[in-house]
Amino acid sequence: MSIRIGIVGYGNIGRGVEAAISYNPDTELAGIFTRRAPEELKSATSAPVYHIDQAKDMTSEIDVMILCGGSATDLPKQSPEFVKLFNIVDSFDTHAKIPEHFSAVDAAAKSSGHIAIISAGWDPGMFSLNRLLGNVILTDGADYTFWGKGISQGHSDAIRRIEGVLDAKQYTIPIPSALEQVRSGSAPKLTTREKHTRECFVVAAPGADKARIEHEIKTMENYFADYDTTVHFISQEELDRDHSAMPHGGFVIRSGKTGLAHEHNATIEYSLKLDSNPEFTSCILVACARAAARMYSEGLTGCKTLFDVPPAYLSSLSGEELRRTML
Amino acid sequence: MSIRIGIVGYGNIGRGVEAAISYNPDTELAGIFTRRAPEELKSATSAPVYHIDQAKDMTSEIDVMILCGGSATDLPKQSPEFVKLFNIVDSFDTHAKIPEHFSAVDAAAKSSGHIAIISAGWDPGMFSLNRLLGNVILTDGADYTFWGKGISQGHSDAIRRIEGVLDAKQYTIPIPSALEQVRSGSAPKLTTREKHTRECFVVAAPGADKARIEHEIKTMENYFADYDTTVHFISQEELDRDHSAMPHGGFVIRSGKTGLAHEHNATIEYSLKLDSNPEFTSCILVACARAAARMYSEGLTGCKTLFDVPPAYLSSLSGEELRRTML
């Protein structure tokens, strides 16, 4: 019997989950839930669309709800609410607020007897898993996470809020020489500025003061002030033509020592190169939905992360098949 | 209370485990067990040394036995035997025989109520985990494992068995252009010869027929016949000076598609670069010993692999600390 998945929110991640379900024959899309008028939303696979308020009456038709809203306002509210009625998976990605989100979801999941897997994606998610694995293997070592080259949604949004900006896309770019230093095993101490550069493509309103916009971007605290930032002003047409894809990726590197005298170097590197950031995240969400369904079927409850999931639970293959074909 | 670890077998892996224990303050080395006369073995950390037959009387002093023997003859016998009395971890690495080894260890572990984690290392082990994770995320894709540059013990041994060979070391080397093709996302079909080359450093006996030795190496079925192989004859002094380290490493790459029309590429790459192959393997064994102790304390029994271990169990940090610092 296939795993019946519901999608809450039909943005980039929601559409990505819809696609990912089509890759996994042991899953099926039971419905898409939206805050919009359902009749106005046409899904890419003609899946049934419901108003989000209808979800509560469909608990017997859905095994796992994948919550595809944003981490700023949607998930902090939706995840604890939905887990009262469903097993859920989300990609909550505000790192600093994960402990708080975990607590809220865990309490609700335990009281209702459901499973939640939160912060499932690539960072947090697969990158986190690789940070953990790197740390447990090379206990005397240093961690490095680089992001990009890719579009940062948060930084693009921050530029768009500047007066006189009509549209913008921001690329985060790892600095190749920093990557090389880390790979060499020299365990360098790198400042924020030494790890990444930021490149911005901005559409300014007619007559806007470009010098002021550029200055506001480059000096923006928390977003750009600590980086070497380049700003290009282009037309909306150019932005749409050249910068509408959503590539991303990055590197997690653990560099450390082995041997009784800490005399040998070892380097572990995990990297991603993605044409579509949300589609890749969605593939992880669907694998986690499979794990959530299995954990629930075994009577487990509460909030989990990829740290708590036996990797085999992410796969549709049996333990025997996995050992024979992949071990 | 720290996890009391016993080491069975004091070769490269046994010494590596001894070193790895010194990196992990929540573990301690309870004893080294050897088939030799214990008084003849002096451990690098002055740990107590016992004869292997004494182990059966020390079940209350050891939480996890790490079996550091070879996969050809030691582990198939020792793992099922030791798990009758102890939780065990081994690095059994004969891929084709893993299902058989798993069955034997699982039966013994279940009947005695212990936990075994087998095939813990980097391949099988971390590479296997990355094959699994790559497959569950990118279901429409292709897997590539490259090994090296590093010393292959099995291939070095095979050369040493040739008449007229006094000593030898063999390096397995991934072919850079093959790696690049795979990384490009073109999902190439690669033959054995197209993925790796083999380089051999051979010490010939005085007066031995080097042309015959080279021919025997290059045409050896299963080991060299399917590869482009280079043979260098050098002196024992040169071999000892330049080729006595045990570096290794490799790459697991999953390249696949995302998107409803399978229109986007994604590439996941995991790689290792190790000055000491056995020391790195040993670091993984010790992390698995921690996981085995925890699973045992929770009442679990039977044979496990890294596919079955929740990653957090490999760490000494609490779930809360892990989420706060690594997620």
Side-chain angles (χ1 to χ4, degrees), chain A residues 7 10 18 29-32 38 41-50:
Chain A
I7 291 173
Y10 198 62
E18 181 178 28
L29 177 49
I32 296 166
L41 191 159
K42 180 99 184 80
S43 107
T45 62
S46 308
V49 180
Y50 305 97

Side-chain angles (χ1 to χ4, degrees), chain A residues 15 18-20 22-24 44-45 95 98-99 102 118-119 123-133 135-140 143 183-185 257-276 279-280 283-284 287 290 303 305-316 319-320 322-327, chain B residues 15 18-20 22-24 44-45 95 98-99 102 118-119 123-133 135-140 143 183-185 257-276 279-280 283-284 287 290 303 305-316 319-320 322-327:
Chain A
R15 284 191 292 273
E18 181 178 28
S22 75
Y23 284 71
N24 288 278
T45 62
H95 289 263
I98 288 174
F102 183 92
I118 62 159
S119 301
D123 197 358
M126 297 309 299
F127 270 23
S128 320
L129 190 54
N130 278 281
R131 284 188 286 263
L132 187 162
L133 294 169
N135 272 271
V136 300
I137 298 171
L138 298 174
T139 56
D140 174 19
D143 271 331
R183 285 180 182 137
S184 77
K257 301 290 179 184
T258 68
L260 208 48
H262 296 227
E263 69 272 37
H264 293 130
N265 286 319
T267 305
I268 309 171
E269 177 168 339
Y270 180 83
S271 67
L272 297 174
K273 195 169 149 235
L274 314 173
D275 283 355
S276 169
E279 286 170 6
F280 188 80
C283 292
I284 298 169
R290 180 183 292 122
C303 190
T305 73
L306 276 166
F307 293 168
D308 309 303
V309 177
Y313 282 33
L314 298 167
S315 172
S316 61
E320 201 175 340
L322 288 175
R323 286 188 295 274
R324 188 168 48 77
T325 60
M326 292 184 204
L327 197 64
Chain B
R15 284 191 292 272
E18 181 179 25
S22 76
Y23 285 72
N24 289 278
T45 60
H95 289 263
I98 287 174
F102 182 92
I118 63 159
S119 300
D123 197 359
M126 297 309 300
F127 271 23
S128 319
L129 190 55
N130 277 280
R131 285 188 285 264
L132 187 161
L133 293 170
N135 272 271
V136 300
I137 298 171
L138 297 174
T139 56
D140 174 18
D143 271 333
R183 286 181 182 138
S184 76
K257 300 290 180 182
T258 68
L260 207 49
H262 296 226
E263 70 273 37
H264 292 130
N265 286 319
T267 305
I268 308 172
E269 178 168 340
Y270 179 82
S271 67
L272 298 174
K273 194 170 151 235
L274 314 172
D275 282 355
S276 169
E279 286 171 4
F280 188 79
C283 292
I284 299 168
R290 180 183 292 123
C303 190
T305 74
L306 275 167
F307 293 169
D308 308 304
V309 177
Y313 282 33
L314 298 166
S315 172
S316 62
E320 200 174 341
L322 289 174
R323 287 188 294 275
R324 189 169 47 78
T325 59
M326 292 184 203
L327 197 63

Side-chain angles (χ1 to χ4, degrees), chain A:
Chain A
M1 218 177 67
S2 62
I3 300 161
R4 300 165 304 170
I5 294 175
I7 291 173
V8 178
Y10 198 62
N12 289 326
I13 297 283
R15 284 191 292 273
V17 169
E18 181 178 28
I21 289 171
S22 75
Y23 284 71
N24 288 278
D26 64 326
T27 65
E28 62 181 83
L29 177 49
I32 296 166
F33 297 85
T34 176
R35 279 181 295 226
R36 293 181 260 173
E39 61 276 13
E40 284 172 18
L41 191 159
K42 180 99 184 80
S43 107
T45 62
S46 308
V49 180
Y50 305 97
H51 190 267
I52 197 167
D53 293 342
Q54 294 176 270
K56 64 179 185 305
D57 304 317
M58 295 179 66
T59 55
S60 64
E61 288 151 67
I62 287 162
D63 298 310
V64 184
M65 276 291 198
I66 301 185
L67 307 182
C68 304
S71 296
T73 56
D74 297 331
L75 297 177
K77 197 163 165 293
Q78 288 179 347
S79 297
E81 266 181 21
F82 272 85
V83 85
K84 288 179 193 160
L85 299 171
F86 300 95
N87 298 308
I88 66 154
V89 175
D90 79 25
S91 60
F92 185 81
D93 65 0
T94 312
H95 289 263
K97 294 191 176 170
I98 288 174
E100 185 184 331
H101 188 61
F102 183 92
S103 296
V105 175
D106 192 47
K110 280 183 176 147
S111 72
S112 73
H114 288 104
I115 282 280
I117 299 178
I118 62 159
S119 301
W122 59 273
D123 197 358
M126 297 309 299
F127 270 23
S128 320
L129 190 54
N130 278 281
R131 284 188 286 263
L132 187 162
L133 294 169
N135 272 271
V136 300
I137 298 171
L138 298 174
T139 56
D140 174 19
D143 271 331
Y144 299 87
T145 301
F146 290 87
W147 296 273
K149 181 180 176 178
I151 300 248
S152 161
Q153 207 56 57
H155 286 76
S156 302
D157 289 345
I159 300 171
R160 284 191 211 102
R161 285 193 292 265
I162 294 174
E163 198 192 316
V165 171
L166 295 180
D167 204 349
K169 289 286 170 73
Q170 191 270 176
Y171 293 88
T172 305
I173 306 167
I175 297 175
S177 61
L179 267 170
E180 286 317 311
Q181 269 189 76
V182 169
R183 285 180 182 137
S184 77
S186 68
K189 292 226 180 299
L190 297 168
T191 63
T192 298
R193 192 178 299 275
E194 286 166 340
K195 288 180 68 189
H196 298 91
T197 52
R198 298 193 177 278
E199 189 169 17
C200 313
F201 294 87
V202 180
V203 182
D209 179 348
K210 291 178 180 174
R212 175 193 48 84
I213 291 172
E214 180 164 344
H215 179 77
E216 281 193 40
I217 293 173
K218 290 184 170 177
T219 56
M220 197 186 298
E221 289 295 332
N222 299 321
Y223 285 86
F224 295 97
D226 294 336
Y227 298 85
D228 289 336
T229 301
T230 316
V231 177
H232 308 277
F233 289 95
I234 61 175
S235 69
Q236 184 74 53
E237 189 187 15
E238 286 169 304
L239 191 80
D240 294 344
R241 185 191 65 208
D242 302 333
H243 305 285
S244 58
M246 286 175 283
H248 219 314
F251 306 81
V252 175
I253 303 176
R254 178 80 181 174
S255 144
K257 301 290 179 184
T258 68
L260 208 48
H262 296 227
E263 69 272 37
H264 293 130
N265 286 319
T267 305
I268 309 171
E269 177 168 339
Y270 180 83
S271 67
L272 297 174
K273 195 169 149 235
L274 314 173
D275 283 355
S276 169
N277 177 2
E279 286 170 6
F280 188 80
T281 298
S282 302
C283 292
I284 298 169
L285 289 168
V286 170
C288 285
R290 180 183 292 122
R294 179 155 166 198
M295 292 173 119
Y296 177 73
S297 77
E298 292 179 354
L300 298 171
T301 66
C303 190
K304 312 286 176 190
T305 73
L306 276 166
F307 293 168
D308 309 303
V309 177
Y313 282 33
L314 298 167
S315 172
S316 61
L317 300 180
S318 70
E320 201 175 340
E321 287 171 299
L322 288 175
R323 286 188 295 274
R324 188 168 48 77
T325 60
M326 292 184 204
L327 197 64

